């Protein structure tokens, strides 16, 4: 018999039956239809499946569903909309930073995790934040430029002292 757990995904509450071995990535993709987080290595090593759990980036492939009971999960689908994209989504498009695009969801999640606490990241900060995200197309330089551009936009939107 499987139990149920409750979790919030992109602001929406879900009560889900939990087969003992279910992982978060499988549930997001195959039960909730949220396909942005991708399956890459399945071992927590490539970053393709990253999501935010209570604001922290985590590999969904390596996270059992029971571990996120009662927590708040954000996927790329929850970052912005086509009409109102998140600054990182806009910046990645403007810098044409995607080649195959397979890594990009995880990269957006890592970048958002960085930018939500640091809108003045140095290149070293950006590299450290993306260190666990593999991109085998070699789009790294354009991705770095996109994170810098998103940081600029976020800074411009910050309230300034008169
Ligand atoms: S698929 Fe999860 S880290 Fe690679
Ligand atoms: S754009 Fe292809 S893996 Fe990064």
């Amino acid at each position: 018999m499987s139990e149920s757990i409750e979790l919030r995904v992109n602001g929406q509450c879900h009560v889900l039956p939990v087969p003992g071995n279910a992982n978060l990535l499988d549930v997001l993709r195959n039960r909730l239809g949220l396909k942005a987080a991708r399956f890459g290595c399945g071992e927590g090593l490539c970053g393709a499946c990253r999501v935010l759990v209570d604001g922290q980036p985590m590999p969904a492939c390596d996270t059992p569903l029971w571990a996120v009971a009662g927590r708040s999960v954000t996927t790329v689908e929850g970052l912005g909309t086509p009409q109102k994209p998140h600054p990182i989504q806009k910046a990645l498009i403007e810098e044409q930073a995607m080649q195959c695009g397979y890594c990009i969801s995880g990269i957006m999640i890592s970048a958002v995790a960085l930018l939500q606490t640091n809108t003045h990241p140095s290149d070293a900060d950006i590299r450290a934040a993306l260190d666990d995200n593999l991109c085998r197309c070699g789009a790294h330089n354009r991705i770095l430029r996109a994170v810098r551009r998103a940081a600029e936009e976020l800074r411009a939107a910050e309230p300034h002292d008169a």
Side-chain angles (χ1 to χ4, degrees):
M1 195 178 81
S2 65
E3 297 171 18
S4 291
I5 67 155
E6 191 175 315
L7 79 159
R8 185 169 284 274
V9 181
N10 299 334
Q12 229 189 329
C13 210
H14 297 272
V15 177
L16 298 162
V18 191
N21 60 357
N23 67 49
L24 178 59
L25 182 62
D26 180 41
V27 169
L28 291 173
R29 290 185 59 86
N30 299 321
R31 276 203 254 163
L32 301 183
L34 298 168
K35 304 283 190 184
R38 303 261 166 72
F39 181 86
C41 64
E43 296 183 352
L45 300 172
C46 73
C49 65
R50 276 191 160 193
V51 296
L52 296 172
V53 177
D54 293 339
Q56 297 302 311
M58 288 180 65
C61 72
D62 211 18
T63 300
L65 193 59
W66 57 260
V68 293
R71 299 176 77 183
S72 182
V73 175
T74 305
T75 69
V76 164
E77 288 91 341
L79 294 183
T81 63
Q83 295 72 28
K84 195 164 185 261
H86 186 281
I88 190 63
Q89 295 174 313
K90 253 173 77 183
L92 284 161
I93 293 168
E94 285 162 358
E95 293 292 342
Q96 299 192 17
M98 286 77 77
Q99 288 188 36
C100 79
Y102 205 84
C103 66
I104 287 295
S105 291
I107 283 176
M108 281 191 252
I109 292 293
S110 296
V112 167
L114 169 68
L115 295 170
Q116 67 195 359
T117 58
N118 180 3
T119 54
H120 290 75
S122 65
D123 281 359
D125 294 332
I126 299 171
R127 285 175 197 276
L130 301 184
D131 200 37
D132 291 333
N133 292 91
L134 304 185
C135 172
R136 60 183 184 180
C137 294
H140 303 86
N141 286 335
R142 282 180 277 163
I143 291 167
L144 273 176
R145 284 204 297 273
V147 179
R148 279 190 228 119
R149 185 190 274 255
E152 267 171 42
E153 181 174 340
L154 287 165
R155 286 200 298 276
E158 284 171 353
H160 294 285
D161 293 336

